[in-house]
C-alpha cells in the first residue's frame, strides 16, 4: 500500500498535474482523492438499497436512468458547494450567513442534525438484520443480539470518527477505511450482477435501453405491468393508479437518497479539514466524480438489475404453486391487496371487522388481481438474497450479498457520526473544538443502539414523516442558496465564475435546482398536512434567501 502523500508531496503532485498528460493527471488526482469517497460512503446506505430494490420490483431495468440522473444533479450542487468553499477558503455556513441569510444557514445546520439523528437508526436496523439473517444466521431470533450488535457498531463508529478528529494522517486513514468499505459494496453488488448476466438470465439490450430517460414513468406504468392491469378488466384504472403512485413515490425516494441535505453540509467540512484550497478546485470535481458518481452508479445499477431480474413482473416468490401466499411474504402481499381493496371501495372489505374476515375477502379476489397484488408486494434485502440462492448457492448468496449490505450500512453509520460532529460544531460556532466534535459524533452513534425499539411500528412512521419533510424541504433550498452564491460578486470576489464558465455553472445549477424544486413540491404535496407545512417552509426560506441576497448585494 502506498504511503499517504504529505503536504509538500501533495503540492508537488498538484503542480505536476497542471502540466502533464491526461493519464498521468488521472493517476495523480486518483491518489489525492478523498472527500468525494466520503460522499460515496454516505449515499450508499439503506436509502439507496431500498430505492434500488423498489425500482427493480416496480419497473425492472426501465428506470436505470433515474439514479444516475439524480446523482448528477447532486454532483452539480456539491461541485458548486466545493467551488464556493475552496474559493473563499472558509466554511460556507459563514458565507451564507454573511452574504445570503442567517436563517438559511441555521436551517441548513438543523436540517443536517435532524437527518443524521433520524436516518442513522434504520442503518443500525439494516446492519443488524443483515448480520443476523445473512452473515451469522444462528443469531436469528435472538432478543439480545440486536442490542449487542448495535453497541459494537457504535464503538466501531466512534473509534473511526475519532481517528478523523486527530487530523493529519488520521484524516487520510479515515478516508482509506471508507474507500475500502465503499469498494466492498461495489464489488459485492457487481459480482451479483455479473453472475446474473453470465447465467444468461438477463437481456443486455433491455439494460442498455433502461438508461434512456423516460419521464412518462412518473405517471404511467411500464408496459408489462400495464398489461397486467388491463387483464383485471373493470379494475384496470384502479390498478394503473396504484402502480403509477407507487412508481412515482419510489422514483422520488430513490432520487432523494442520491444526495441528502447532510451530505451537502459534510463536503465543505471535509475539504477544509483535508487542507484543500483554491488550487484544489479541479481536483475536487474529479474527486466527486470518482468517489461518488462511479461507486453509486455501479452499485445501484447492479442492485436494480438484480432486483428486477428476480422480482419484476413475477409472482412465484409470493404465490405458491397451489395458489396460497408464501408465509414470509404474507405481510407484504396483504398490504398490497388491502390498498387495492381500500381504493376500489369493496363493501365486503369495509365490513370485515376481523383479520379472519379480511383474509376471506383477499382470498376471494380474482386471479388477475391477486397476481398484481403479488407483483407490487414489497421485498427486502433478505428476500433478494434468498432468491439468488439457486444462482449463487445459499452460502454464496448470504455471503456476497450480506457483506455488501453490511458494508453499506456500516459506512453510512460512520459518516452520520462525522456529519453530526461537523453540524454541532457549526451550530455552536466551535468548528475545531475536540470536545464538541466528539459529543456531536456520539449523538447519532449512541441513538442508533436503540434501533430495536425506535425504528418499529408507529414510532418509525412518526419519525420518518417529519424527517423526510425536513429533508425534502431543505434539499432544493441548498440548490437555490448556492445558485445565489455562485452569482455573488460580494461573496466570491475575483473568484466568481466569468464568461463561458459562468454560463455553464448557471445553466447546470438552474437545471438541477429546477428538478430538485419540482420533485420537492410533488413529494410534499403527497404528504398531506406535514407536506403543506413543508411547502410553506420552502416558500418562506426562499423568500429569506432572495431578500437577504438582494439586501447584501446592494449594501
Amino acid at each position: 500500500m502506498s504511503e499517504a502523500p504529505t503536504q509538500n508531496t501533495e503540492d508537488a503532485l498538484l503542480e505536476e498535474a497542471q502540466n502533464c498528460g491526461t493519464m498521468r493527471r488521472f493517476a495523480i488526482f486518483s491518489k489525492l482523492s478523498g472527500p468525494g469517497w466520503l460522499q460515496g460512503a454516505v449515499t450508499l446506505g439503506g436509502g439507496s438499497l431500498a430505492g434500488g430494490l423498489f425500482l427493480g420490483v416496480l419497473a425492472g431495468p426501465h428506470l436505470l436512468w433515474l439514479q444516475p440522473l439524480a446523482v448528477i444533479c447532486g454532483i452539480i450542487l456539491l461541485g458548486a458547494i466545493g467551488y464556493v468553499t475552496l474559493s473563499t477558503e472558509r466554511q460556507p455556513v459563514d458565507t451564507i450567513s454573511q452574504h445570503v441569510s442567517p436563517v438559511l444557514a441555521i436551517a441548513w445546520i438543523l436540517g443536517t442534525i435532524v437527518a443524521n439523528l433520524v436516518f442513522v437508526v434504520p442503518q443500525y436496523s439494516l446492519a443488524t438484520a443483515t448480520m443476523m439473517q445473512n452473515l451469522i444466521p444462528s443469531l436469528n431470533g435472538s432478543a439480545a443480539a440486536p442490542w449487542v450488535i448495535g453497541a459494537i457498531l457504535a464503538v466501531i463508529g466512534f473509534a473511526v470518527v475519532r481517528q478523523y478528529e486527530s487530523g493529519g494522517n488520521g484524516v487520510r486513514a479515515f478516508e482509506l477505511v471508507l474507500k475500502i468499505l465503499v469498494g466492498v459494496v461495489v464489488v459485492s453488488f457487481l459480482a451479483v450482477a455479473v453472475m446474473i448476466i453470465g447465467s444468461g438470465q438477463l437481456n443486455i439490450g433491455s439494460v442498455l435501453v433502461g438508461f434512456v430517460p423516460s419521464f412518462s414513468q412518473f405517471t404511467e406504468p411500464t408496459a408489462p405491468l400495464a398489461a397486467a392491469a388491463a387483464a383485471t378488466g373493470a379494475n384496470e384504472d384502479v390498478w394503473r393508479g396504484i402502480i403509477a403512485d407507487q412508481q412515482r413515490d419510489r422514483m422520488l425516494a430513490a432520487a432523494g437518497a442520491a444526495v441528502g441535505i447532510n451530505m451537502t453540509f459534510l463536503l465543505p467540512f471535509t475539504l477544509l479539514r483535508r487542507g484543500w484550497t483554491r488550487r484544489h478546485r479541479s481536483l475536487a470535481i474529479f474527486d466527486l466524480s470518482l468517489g461518488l458518481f462511479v461507486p453509486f452508479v455501479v452499485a445501484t445499477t447492479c442492485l436494480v438489475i438484480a432486483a428486477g431480474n428476480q422480482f419484476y413482473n413475477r409472482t412465484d416468490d409470493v404465490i405458491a404453486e397451489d395458489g396460497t401466499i408464501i408465509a414470509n411474504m404474507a405481510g407484504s402481499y396483504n398490504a398490497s391487496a388491502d390498498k387495492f381493496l381500500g381504493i376500489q371501495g369493496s363493501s365486503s372489505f369495509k365490513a370485515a371487522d376481523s383479520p379472519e374476515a379480511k383474509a376471506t375477502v383477499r382470498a376471494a379476489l380474482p386471479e388477475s388481481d391477486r397476481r398484481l397484488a403479488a407483483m407490487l408486494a414489497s421485498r427486502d434485502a433478505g428476500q433478494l438474497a434468498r432468491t439468488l440462492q439457486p444462482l449463487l448457492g445459499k452460502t454464496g448468496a448470504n455471503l456476497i450479498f450480506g457483506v455488501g449490505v453490511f458494508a453499506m450500512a456500516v459506512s453510512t453509520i460512520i459518516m452520520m457520526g462525522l456529519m453530526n460532529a461537523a453540524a454541532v460544531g457549526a451550530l455552536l460556532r466551535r468548528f475545531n473544538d475536540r470536545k464538541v466534535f466528539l459529543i456531536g459524533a456520539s449523538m447519532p452513534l449512541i441513538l442508533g443502539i436503540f434501533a430495536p425499539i425506535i425504528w418499529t411500528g408507529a414510532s418509525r412512521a412518526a419519525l420518518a414523516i417529519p424527517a423526510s419533510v425536513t429533508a425534502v424541504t431543505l434539499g432544493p433550498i441548498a440548490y437555490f442558496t448556492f445558485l445565489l452564491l455562485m452569482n455573488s460578486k460580494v461573496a466570491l470576489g475575483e473568484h466568481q465564475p466569468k464568461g463561458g464558465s459562468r454560463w455553464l455553472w448557471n445553466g447546470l445549477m438552474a437545471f438541477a435546482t429546477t428538478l430538485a424544486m419540482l420533485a420537492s413540491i410533488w413529494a410534499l404535496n403527497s404528504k398531506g398536512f406535514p407536506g403543506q407545512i413543508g411547502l410553506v417552509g420552502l416558500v418562506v426560506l426562499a423568500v429569506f434567501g432572495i431578500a437577504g441576497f438582494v439586501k447584501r448585494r446592494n449594501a
Side-chain angles (χ1 to χ4, degrees), residues 461-524:
L463 286 170
I465 290 175
S468 60
V469 168
T470 301
V472 169
T473 300
L474 293 175
I477 290 298
Y479 283 88
F480 183 63
T481 298
F482 282 92
L483 175 60
L484 293 177
L485 283 176
M486 291 295 284
N487 288 280
S488 174
K489 178 71 173 177
V490 177
L492 296 180
E494 63 178 323
H495 303 290
Q496 182 185 10
K498 299 177 179 66
S501 177
R502 184 176 183 182
W503 280 103
L504 178 61
W505 270 115
N506 278 326
L508 291 173
M509 284 294 289
F511 169 74
T513 302
T514 299
L515 287 186
M517 195 75 72
L518 291 174
S520 178
I521 292 171
W522 202 332
L524 290 170

Side-chain angles (χ1 to χ4, degrees), residues 9-273:
T9 305
E10 186 170 304
D11 290 341
L13 287 171
L14 279 176
E15 188 69 32
E16 181 184 350
Q18 299 300 317
N19 305 298
C20 64
T22 302
M23 294 305 296
R24 176 57 181 162
R25 185 180 299 112
F26 181 90
I28 291 172
F29 278 7
S30 298
K31 183 175 184 178
L32 297 178
S33 67
W37 289 91
L38 304 188
Q39 297 290 324
V42 179
T43 196
L44 284 175
S48 296
L49 175 67
L53 274 170
F54 287 137
L55 290 181
V57 169
L58 284 170
H62 297 284
L63 286 172
L64 284 171
W65 60 270
L66 177 68
Q67 288 169 306
L69 176 62
V71 82
I72 286 172
C73 289
I75 288 175
I76 292 171
L77 169 61
L78 292 171
I81 292 174
Y83 186 91
V84 170
T85 302
L86 298 177
S87 294
T88 60
E89 297 184 357
R90 63 190 295 210
Q91 290 286 351
V93 69
D94 290 335
T95 306
I96 294 170
S97 294
Q98 183 178 347
H99 297 293
V100 183
S101 168
V103 173
L104 289 186
I106 294 297
W108 192 27
I109 296 171
L110 294 179
T112 296
I113 293 173
V114 168
N116 291 332
L117 294 181
V118 172
F119 293 125
V120 73
V121 180
Q123 306 300 328
Y124 272 78
S125 293
L126 177 63
T128 300
T130 304
M131 180 64 74
M132 295 172 63
Q133 295 173 11
N134 298 95
L135 300 179
I136 311 179
S138 60
L139 295 177
N140 206 7
S142 168
W147 296 92
V148 174
I149 294 171
I152 293 173
L153 289 173
V155 171
I156 293 173
F158 185 81
V160 176
V161 174
R162 190 171 181 270
Q163 182 73 18
Y164 186 91
E165 190 277 332
S166 66
N169 289 331
V171 171
R172 292 178 172 84
F174 178 91
E175 290 174 352
L176 178 60
V177 170
L178 271 297
K179 282 182 181 180
I180 292 171
L181 287 173
V182 170
V184 170
V185 173
V186 173
V187 170
S188 296
F189 290 137
L190 184 60
V192 171
V194 168
M195 290 180 186
I196 290 175
I197 293 171
S199 69
Q201 297 181 22
L202 194 66
N203 183 336
I204 297 296
S206 66
V207 171
L208 297 177
V209 170
F211 285 104
V212 178
S214 175
F215 292 98
S216 65
Q217 289 162 342
F218 274 96
T219 57
E220 293 291 331
T222 57
L225 292 188
T232 65
N235 293 326
E236 178 181 2
D237 288 342
V238 176
W239 278 116
R240 286 181 70 93
I242 291 173
I243 297 167
D245 284 347
Q246 288 196 12
Q247 210 163 270
R248 181 167 56 250
D249 289 347
R250 301 300 186 251
M251 289 171 73
L252 291 171
V259 174
I261 184 67
N262 44 7
M263 292 173 61
T264 65
F265 197 89
L266 171 71
L267 181 65
F269 176 82
T270 54
L271 290 176
L272 296 175
R273 181 59 70 97

